[in-house]
Amino acid sequence: MSAGRASEGAGCISWWGFSPCRNLLTTGPVQYKDEANILLVGSGDPRHILKTIAGLPNKDNLHVWVIENSLEVMARQMLLLYLTLMPQESMGLSEKTEVFLEIFGNSEVRSQTAETLRRAASQLIVSVTETMDEATHPCLNTKLLKFKERDELARIFKQWTQPECSASGHPTPIVMSKAWDYRVRQHLGTRYDSRTGCFDWDLTMKLHEKGCGVINKHQYTQWRGRGVAFEMREGVYQTVNPTLLSSRVLSQKGSKVAVRGYWGDIVSSPYLSFGIETDDKSLLKTQNGHHIKTAQDISVANVHALLQSLYRRQGSPVTPDEVKQEPSTDNDPKPVTVNDLIHLNGISVTFLPMDALIKLPQKDNFLHFFNVIFCSVGCVHQLGPALRQIAAPDAVLVVELAKFILDLNKEQESGFTNKVEDIARVSGFEPWQEERTEDVFAVFKPLR
């Protein structure tokens, strides 16, 4: 029913993934113990990091290495990780869950959330510009980035702390509702006037048919219309979420112009990351053929549980009083520096340069190094024969498939899956199982 090209609906930048969060250490044939190195290529958000940490035994160590093809996405990943690591005395678990999901999936947020975002961004500026030999925090390690990449990250964080400005230096705030509506008009074309029907078609005939029945019609339509996926509190959601803004070069009257706006997904939804699967089967109950809980409810429950697992990893169990802690009413809370963030025993996250996938095979310390390599649907083209050089002998390659790229038809989706298998074989991997058991990820093992 969507009239636009697949690239228009999915966008040209991945603010979130097109698959649910998974424990990557238990996705393939090998169960890793003691220590593991995971390489994420274009994951778009920290969902797999959080899920993998939650399933990690307390004595095991995990090092995650992150490559993104956009520094805006990398900056957002760092911000979301910063939020998850804020100590409980600064932000209660329930409030943190809500703020995380607001920033994660809303084009517009509450003013309190926007203030939290600005404070976090100002601290991340300090983190990426530090010149010490050691990272300021083991889960926000940017020491291997190029200086120009760190400078660009600092510029992005600074942009989040202040109003948008024009070339002349005057504030020119972006109206997110207009930026979002522009994308919807471009995508639907002549169908724009009947957009509600288009939204309903994509939900019932595509997402629901693909097993996402928990995505509620009202919430999905609201997100498709204005970009607000998570509205969990009584409040005004009118402040622009700057982490979802980026620049795209467009042709205007024969000239190339960088246009700042929203260029991410407007079709599949941020509900996919945390809201369509859950270990708590009571959240998936139906009544008269309809789901009792929504994708928003499941997202809240899942993120809450994942954040709670981080405190257990720190060694300080969460008490019932802490879980129910309400948002702080302090008008001028003490800034939470990167050094104040909680430290997770045995966990580290290192951000790598954007061209790292090409250069890692040339570095001796990364030869046969990674136990799990995850590649997103948008980065499959980056895989190649050199991948085997950085993969451990029993490594697992997990590739996100195009199931939730809704503008693709069944033939295109199947063709992409076949292309992924061809690329994996060229890269030195073969399917883990002869018969495919799921259509969200393809799992491969090294060719023998």
Side-chain angles (χ1 to χ4, degrees), residues 31-173:
Q31 304 296 311
Y32 296 97
K33 294 183 178 180
D34 300 329
E35 186 169 358
N37 288 280
I38 295 179
L39 177 65
L40 300 179
V41 183
S43 60
D45 61 59
R47 68 195 187 284
H48 298 314
I49 298 176
L50 298 178
K51 185 70 172 179
T52 304
I53 292 174
L56 195 71
N58 286 334
K59 294 182 179 180
D60 288 5
N61 296 325
L62 174 68
H63 197 155
V64 182
W65 308 77
V66 179
I67 300 174
E68 291 292 350
N69 55 13
S70 162
L71 287 172
E72 285 101 340
V73 174
M74 186 181 294
R76 203 170 114 95
Q77 280 236 45
M78 292 182 66
L79 172 72
L80 292 171
L81 284 173
Y82 174 99
L83 291 173
T84 66
L85 296 169
M86 287 184 68
Q88 287 226 175
E89 55 269 23
S90 301
M91 183 181 291
L93 195 55
S94 296
E95 181 189 5
K96 186 187 293 189
T97 299
E98 293 170 0
V99 170
F100 179 96
L101 286 172
E102 272 188 59
I103 293 175
F104 178 75
N106 286 7
S107 63
E108 295 177 309
V109 298
R110 295 172 298 151
S111 58
Q112 306 97 301
T113 300
E115 180 58 30
T116 299
L117 193 161
R118 283 191 288 270
R119 290 176 180 272
S122 65
Q123 296 302 318
L124 287 168
I125 292 173
V126 177
S127 175
V128 298
T129 54
E130 286 284 354
T131 56
M132 296 184 298
D133 292 335
E134 296 296 324
T136 51
H137 192 283
C139 289
L140 294 168
N141 189 344
T142 58
K143 294 304 174 184
L144 295 183
L145 295 180
K146 300 172 183 176
F147 284 111
K148 64 179 181 181
E149 290 174 327
R150 288 165 58 185
D151 289 344
E152 178 63 12
L153 283 174
R155 186 196 66 79
I156 293 167
F157 292 135
K158 185 176 181 180
Q159 202 167 32
W160 293 352
T161 66
Q162 51 194 218
E164 297 283 325
C165 292
S166 65
S168 60
H170 298 295
T172 55

Side-chain angles (χ1 to χ4, degrees), residues 20-27 38 46-56 62 273-274 277-280 302 305-307 309-310:
C21 59
R22 289 290 168 83
N23 180 347
L24 294 176
L25 294 180
T26 61
T27 299
I38 295 179
R47 68 195 187 284
H48 298 314
I49 298 176
L50 298 178
K51 185 70 172 179
T52 304
I53 292 174
L56 195 71
L62 174 68
S273 293
F274 299 104
E277 292 184 354
T278 175
D279 296 330
D280 184 356
N302 280 341
L306 293 174
L307 297 183
S309 73
L310 298 187

Side-chain angles (χ1 to χ4, degrees), residues 29 109 217 318 354 369:
V109 298
K217 178 179 178 180
V318 181
M354 290 193 293
F369 183 73

